[in-house]
Amino acid sequence: MIELKSATEINRMAVTGRFVGELLAELSGVADVGVNLMDIEHHARRRIAERGAESCYWDYAPSFGRGPFRNVLCLSVNDAVLHGLPHDYVLRDGDLLSIDMAVGIDGWVADSALSVIVGTPDPADLKLIEATEVALDAAVKAAQPGGRLGDISAAIGEVARSYGYGVNGEFGGHGIGRTMHEDPHVANHGRPRRGIRLDPGLTIAIEPWLCATTDKIRYDEDGWTIRSADGSRTAHSEHTVAITESGPRVLTLRD
């Protein structure tokens, strides 16, 4: 069931979104050559505790995954793109890191992700990250009141194809609000003018993610980390967005 939020409730989500955006920006600066993934994870735990927020990832136990997730971040490196399980790994020059987080504050949730390169960037990796960011921007612009959910999905797929990338349909965005995952599912490819109407009050997480040379994925033995099937690099960008009478409002903006 889809729950439309009031303007007051969206403002409360925006408080959470502001914290998520600020912390993601901070974590992207923490990530550097020689930094252990667990140091980034523990930095986030401290900031979340200081804010009095609650991680949506801790103890999350969906049908995939092996046991409850006991971290506050998804940290995915190079060919890992989603649900990367933080572990004892020291970042190396040129690594591509995706950071994904969702927290709740006073009962309202926001979810966001970004990808960064530590050390010396490879132009191909910069292009891949750019494609996810451009796709996210296009999807947000397509999230107009009175439009259709397919407009958002089609915008993502069109950008991905224009950059020469395929799109995997197994994971995408989702509704969000009182919990991390609500209806509807927001696919990363689709047809415009199809799907549910985008009514004011709808709040969704839009998250294009791409693999450089495949649209297939595989799972690590940890049951969580999702990688490109062929080992190619990956990238992920995400914002929490509210549909309002005046247009889309990004709730997880960051510097």
Side-chain angles (χ1 to χ4, degrees), residues 127-141 155-156 159-160 162-163 208 237:
K127 176 188 172 187
L128 184 63
I129 293 173
E130 178 185 283
T132 65
E133 293 174 342
V134 172
L136 181 56
D137 287 344
V140 171
K141 290 183 175 68
I156 294 171
V159 170
S162 74
Y163 274 81
S237 295

Side-chain angles (χ1 to χ4, degrees), residues 54 86 91 155 167 173 179 185-187 234 236-237 248:
E54 183 177 349
L91 290 167
V167 178
T179 63
H185 173 70
V186 185
T234 64
H236 179 202
S237 295

Side-chain angles (χ1 to χ4, degrees), residues 208-236:
W209 58 273
L210 299 169
C211 307
T213 57
T214 183
D215 60 1
K216 302 294 190 299
I217 57 174
R218 64 179 179 85
Y219 289 81
D220 274 7
E221 291 185 2
D222 62 31
W224 286 102
T225 307
I226 297 176
R227 300 182 183 275
S228 61
D230 63 358
S232 62
R233 292 285 176 108
T234 64
H236 179 202

Side-chain angles (χ1 to χ4, degrees), residues 149-158 161 187-192 194:
L149 189 63
D151 299 340
I152 296 172
S153 301
I156 294 171
E158 182 178 351
R161 289 189 293 273
N188 284 335
H189 61 86
R191 298 173 64 183
R194 299 295 181 91

Side-chain angles (χ1 to χ4, degrees), residues 5 173-177 179-186 202-205:
K5 280 74 174 179
H174 48 88
I176 189 170
T179 63
M180 177 171 61
H181 287 144
E182 299 180 353
D183 291 332
H185 173 70
V186 185
L202 179 67
T203 49
I204 53 177

